[in-house]
Amino acid sequence: MTSDASGHPVREHPMWLPDDRLAALRGRTVSVLGEGDVVDTVRAEAARAGMTDATTAADVLILSADDAAAHGLADLPTAGLGAEGFVHEVRDGRVVVAYGGPNGALYGWFHHVRHLALGGGDGTTRHEPLHELRMLDHWDNVAVHPYMGQVERGYADGSVFYEDGMLRDDLSRVERYARLLASIGINRVTINNVNVGRREARLLTDDLGSVERLAAIFRPWGIRTHLSINFASPLTLGDLDTSDPLDPAVQRWWTDAAARVYARIPDFGGFLVKADSEGQPGPYAYGRDHADGANMLARALAPHDGLVHWRAFVYNHRQDWRDRTTDRARAAYDTFAPLDGRFDDNVVLQVKFGPLDFQVREPVSPVIPAMTRTRVALELQVTQEYTGQQQHAVYLGPQWSEILAFRPTGDDGPELAQIVRGGIAAVANVGADAFWTGHPLAQANLYAYGRLGWDPALEPGTILDEWIALTFGEDETTRRGIRSILDDSWRTYESYTAPLGVCFMVSPLNRHYGPDVDGYEYSAWGTYHFADRDGIGVDRTVATGTGYAGQYAEPWASRYESLDTVPDELILFFHHVPYTHRLHSGRTVIQHIYDTHFAGVERVREMVAAWDALQGRLPEDVHARGRERFAEQLRSATEWRDQINTYFWRKSGIADEAGRTIF
Ligand code: GCV
C-alpha cells in the first residue's frame, strides 16, 4: 500500500478486472476442456472466480471447436474459426465457449466476464480479431536515463519491469499486468524502449535471462515477447568493427544472436527497431538503406518464425529552420515509398498514424496506403505524451477510431484498418503507479486500444461504456458521470491546445507539457507554424508549398490541396492562411481560435464539476487522485487558453468579437 500526494492510502487498483465483476460466477460449475499453458490459465481464472469443476452438465463449458460436435454442439457457428477466435453462447443460463485455439479460450473467457458486466442475456455470437498482430510497446529503460528517466514519456511512475538498472526481483505485478492485457486481446509485448542504450542492448546478450523471465510470465497469457534492439550491437557488444548489414560477419553475428534467444525462448516474437532516427544507429552509416537493414535482421529471425518490426519514424532532426524547402512531414514517405516491395515477408513496417509525431490532430500518414507490397502496422500512442501526459483526462478512443476508419482512396475504398496487414502497435501508458496509469481515467485508453486492435469497427462510445461498467460497476449515476467526462474529452483537449492541425506548440523545456507557441519555431526538429502578423499555418500544397499534399492518393491529394475542400480541423497543417480566412464553419481562423479556447476551458470546468459530483460514489483513493488531476487540468487548460489567445491577439491585432478578456 502506498499513499498519494495528499497522504491518502492507495492500494493497487484492479483496473477493469475487479474481483467483484466475477461475483456472478461464484459457486457455479465449470468444465474447461483442452491442454496447454493457456488453457490452464483459463482453468485458473475459473477457480479464481470461485467456480467448481464439473465433468458433466457444467454451467459453463469451455471446449475447442473441434470437440463441440462430440458434445452435441454441432450447430454452433464454428466453421473455419481461427486460432484466436471463439463462439460464445448463452442458452437458458448455460454458457458455452467454443474456441479455435488456446488463445481463443482465454479471449472467450474474458468475453464472458464482459458479457456479465454488461447485463448478460441469451444469444450466440462469433468473435475473431481482425488483426493477427496486436502489440504493445514499452518505452521502458532498464537503467534510469539521465533525461528520460526509467520510462521514456512515461507518466505513471517507474517501470513495471525494471528498477535502477535491473529487472525487478518481484515480478508478481507483471503477472497481473499480463492478465489485464490478455483480457483485452493484446498478444505481443515489446519489453524495452526503442531508444536502446548500452545497458538495454545487453538484454540480447548477457542479460537474456531477464527477457526469458518476462517471456515466461507473458506466455501463459497468450502473449509473445519482443525486444527492441540496437542496430550497432555487433560493433558495441560484439567484437566486430562494423555493423554493416551486408557484411557476412555482421549477418553471422545476428544469426547467432537470434539462435541464442530462441534456444531459451522458443516463442520469442522478434525485434523492434528504431534505426537512423533521432540519434539511433542504422544502415545509413554504411551507405545501405532501410530494406538492407531490415532484411538482414529478418533473415536471422526467419528460421525461428520471428518478426522484425522496423519503424518508419525516420526524419532529419537536425534541420535548419531557415530552410523552407525541408518538410519533416514528407520524410517517412520520401524514405520508404521507394522501398516498397523490397522488404522480406517477416518484416513489418511500423508507421506512426500521422506524418509528424502523435499530435492531437494530424492527417493519417500517406506512407500506410502507399506501401501496398509491404506488411505495414499502424502505430498509436497510448501514453499521452502530446495529449496531456495523464494529467488531463483525454479519452483517445474517438481519435483512433477516426484514424482506423479513414479511407485513403476515397469513400468507396477500404478503411485504413483493413489495409494494415501488419496489424497494430501502440506505446504503453502504464507504470509502477498504484493506478497503473497515473490518472485513473487513463486506464480507459489502454482498454480502448486493446478492444480496437481486436475489432476496429467497435464504436468508441460502446468501448467506453464497457470499460466503465467493468471498472466501476452498476451505479447509473457513476456510469453517466464518467461517460460525460470522457466522451468528448479528446476534442476538448484539441480545443484548448494548438488550433486547426497546426501541431507542436508544446514546451520543449517542460518535456512537451504545457503551451509554448514558439518553443519549436526556430529549432532543428522541423516542427513549425510560421505565424506572423498576417497569418498562420504550413503551406504543404503542391502548387506553392512543400508538396506534402501530393503524397496522398486521390481524392485526398486534391482535397487537401484546395482551400475549398480541406477539412477545417486540418487547414493549418496544409495551408498558410490569413487570420481573416473564413473556415467552412463560417468563422474566421482568428475567431475560431478565440472561441474554441474559451469554450475548451468552460468544458473542463464542467468535467471538474462532474468529477466532484461523484464523490462518495467512487472509492476514496480513486476520487482523490482524480481530484488532483482535474485541478491540474483546469490550471493547465487556462494557461493554454490565455497564452494561445494572447499570442494571436498580439500577433494579429484583431480583437475578439465577443470582447472577452485576452491579456
Ligand atoms: C522513443 C517522439 C518522442 C521520443 C520517442 C520518439 C519515437 O519523438 O518524443 O521520446 O522516442 O518519438 O517514437 O521514437
Side-chain angles (χ1 to χ4, degrees):
M1 190 102 93
T2 52
S3 27
D4 67 10
S6 347
H8 294 285
V10 184
R11 73 211 142 83
E12 183 183 291
H13 191 267
M15 295 236 246
W16 51 83
L17 287 179
D19 283 343
D20 287 1
R21 239 46 85 217
L22 304 174
L25 295 168
R26 205 162 294 141
R28 302 197 71 196
T29 56
V30 64
S31 176
V32 182
L33 306 182
E35 283 165 17
D37 286 356
V38 176
V39 177
D40 285 346
T41 302
V42 179
R43 277 192 194 93
E45 278 294 304
R48 176 192 178 121
M51 303 185 80
T52 50
D53 278 336
T55 38
T56 49
D59 298 325
V60 177
L61 172 62
I62 300 176
L63 80 180
S64 79
D66 292 343
D67 289 345
H71 285 76
L73 296 164
D75 57 334
L76 288 181
T78 56
L81 199 59
E84 296 192 301
F86 62 90
V87 171
H88 175 255
E89 178 169 271
V90 184
R91 201 184 291 169
D92 305 325
R94 287 200 63 210
V95 180
V96 178
V97 172
Y99 58 83
N103 276 23
L106 196 56
Y107 302 143
W109 166 264
F110 285 116
H111 174 82
H112 187 60
V113 173
R114 242 181 339 257
H115 179 79
L116 291 173
L118 293 169
D122 282 11
T124 307
T125 50
R126 178 181 160 122
H127 305 261
E128 280 184 285
L130 181 63
H131 298 298
E132 189 191 327
L133 298 170
R134 302 176 304 278
M135 176 140 156
L136 195 63
D137 295 339
H138 278 260
W139 285 356
D140 296 26
N141 299 314
V142 182
V144 177
H145 185 278
Y147 182 69
M148 290 299 175
Q150 188 79 69
V151 181
E152 181 153 348
R153 312 304 180 187
Y155 310 106
D157 207 344
S159 161
V160 288
F161 304 138
Y162 318 104
E163 189 173 36
D164 287 343
M166 310 241 308
L167 188 69
R168 286 176 180 276
D169 280 339
D170 178 3
L171 294 175
S172 54
R173 189 180 169 102
V174 178
E175 178 139 6
R176 296 191 288 281
Y177 180 50
R179 173 173 184 253
L180 287 157
L181 295 187
S183 76
I184 52 171
I186 303 287
N187 63 1
R188 309 270 175 157
V189 169
T190 307
I191 57 166
N192 64 306
N193 189 1
V194 288
N195 290 330
V196 185
R198 286 192 82 79
R199 172 64 186 85
E200 290 70 29
R202 288 175 36 221
L203 288 169
L204 182 65
T205 54
D206 58 303
D207 194 20
L208 191 54
S210 293
V211 187
E212 196 177 0
R213 281 186 66 199
L214 289 173
I217 295 174
F218 282 118
R219 185 172 301 118
W221 297 96
I223 297 170
R224 289 171 71 173
T225 300
H226 295 236
L227 199 59
S228 294
I229 56 95
N230 184 303
F231 197 79
S233 289
L235 186 73
T236 52
L237 297 181
D239 49 11
L240 303 185
D241 56 8
T242 175
S243 55
D244 179 352
L246 299 194
D247 186 310
V250 172
Q251 294 166 358
R252 243 187 338 267
W253 192 93
W254 284 107
T255 303
D256 292 348
R260 275 196 311 273
V261 175
Y262 281 93
R264 291 172 70 172
I265 311 166
D267 61 344
F268 180 70
F271 298 148
L272 172 62
V273 195
K274 173 176 177 177
D276 286 315
S277 166
E278 298 186 334
Q280 289 294 301
Y284 284 169
Y286 307 97
R288 315 299 182 195
D289 63 27
H290 285 272
D292 296 328
N295 290 342
M296 183 267 297
L297 294 172
R299 285 162 201 171
L301 293 163
H304 314 282
D305 184 31
L307 296 172
V308 175
H309 280 77
W310 189 271
R311 294 178 86 227
F313 184 59
V314 174
Y315 69 100
N316 177 9
H317 73 287
R318 298 210 176 88
Q319 223 173 285
D320 185 345
W321 60 268
R322 299 166 194 84
D323 169 14
R324 296 286 293 253
T325 62
T326 310
D327 178 7
R328 171 169 164 181
R330 290 189 58 114
Y333 183 101
D334 287 343
T335 306
F336 287 95
L339 303 179
D340 189 27
R342 280 197 43 216
F343 292 100
D344 284 7
D345 287 348
N346 62 329
V347 175
V348 174
L349 186 69
Q350 187 166 310
V351 187
K352 288 192 183 186
F353 75 78
L356 287 184
D357 195 6
F358 301 135
Q359 302 296 291
V360 67
R361 178 71 70 174
E362 287 183 58
V364 166
S365 168
V367 178
I368 300 172
M371 307 290 288
T372 54
R373 290 172 296 153
T374 305
R375 270 170 99 179
V376 173
L378 172 70
E379 183 178 305
L380 302 171
Q381 194 180 42
V382 189
T383 193
Q384 290 172 237
E385 176 178 3
Y386 295 103
T387 49
Q389 304 200 349
Q390 283 140 248
Q391 296 289 333
H392 298 226
V394 180
Y395 174 53
L396 292 167
Q399 182 190 34
W400 301 334
S401 179
E402 222 176 88
I403 292 163
L404 289 160
F406 177 74
R407 293 180 191 270
T409 49
D411 299 345
D412 299 331
E415 294 186 347
L416 196 78
Q418 312 286 333
I419 62 177
V420 283
R421 291 186 296 118
I424 184 161
V427 187
N429 66 343
V430 302
D433 170 55
F435 295 99
W436 298 87
T437 53
H439 200 315
L441 297 184
Q443 294 173 4
N445 287 329
L446 183 57
Y447 184 84
Y449 169 65
R451 299 289 290 132
L452 282 171
W454 178 277
D455 181 0
L458 285 172
E459 282 295 322
T462 307
I463 297 173
L464 186 55
D465 285 339
E466 272 180 18
W467 174 75
I468 295 171
L470 282 162
T471 307
F472 297 105
E474 286 176 357
D475 181 53
E476 258 314 308
T477 309
T478 304
R479 286 187 180 190
R480 271 202 309 276
I482 293 183
R483 170 94 194 227
S484 79
I485 289 169
L486 287 179
D487 219 8
D488 61 351
S489 54
W490 165 54
R491 289 198 175 79
T492 298
Y493 186 81
E494 178 182 26
S495 72
Y496 61 75
T497 54
L500 298 165
V502 77
C503 305
F504 270 99
M505 288 183 171
V506 289
S507 163
L509 286 179
N510 204 20
R511 301 170 189 212
H512 299 167
Y513 187 73
D516 186 346
V517 181
D518 285 334
Y520 278 102
E521 196 57 14
Y522 308 105
S523 81
W525 295 92
T527 51
Y528 313 119
H529 56 69
F530 299 115
D532 59 21
R533 66 179 183 175
D534 299 319
I536 176 176
V538 191
D539 185 352
R540 293 193 164 105
T541 63
V542 175
T544 53
T546 68
Y548 168 78
Q551 293 183 339
Y552 288 87
E554 292 297 354
W556 291 103
S558 301
R559 277 187 198 164
Y560 290 145
E561 179 80 10
S562 165
L563 276 173
D564 293 336
T565 47
V566 67
D568 279 354
E569 68 272 13
L570 284 170
I571 186 172
L572 302 183
F573 196 95
F574 285 100
H575 296 268
H576 185 88
V577 294
Y579 294 110
T580 50
H581 175 82
R582 214 161 270 288
L583 300 169
H584 304 306
S585 69
R587 282 191 292 206
T588 60
V589 166
I590 190 73
Q591 196 55 42
H592 172 97
I593 293 175
Y594 297 149
D595 288 350
T596 51
H597 285 75
F598 282 114
V601 172
E602 289 322 302
R603 182 71 195 103
V604 175
R605 272 191 225 293
E606 289 168 14
M607 291 161 77
V608 175
W611 186 259
D612 286 347
L614 293 175
Q615 181 152 28
R617 293 184 180 272
L618 296 176
E620 176 51 24
D621 55 352
V622 174
H623 196 265
R625 174 65 71 86
R627 203 163 47 232
E628 286 166 25
R629 302 281 151 143
F630 279 110
E632 168 53 19
Q633 183 169 3
L634 184 56
R635 186 208 62 76
S636 173
T638 307
E639 181 165 68
W640 270 100
R641 178 195 68 190
D642 291 341
Q643 283 204 25
I644 298 283
N645 284 348
T646 301
Y647 181 97
F648 287 107
W649 181 52
R650 289 181 186 175
K651 272 259 144 112
S652 70
I654 302 173
D656 170 32
E657 283 167 5
R660 289 161 290 196
T661 305
I662 299 179
F663 299 89

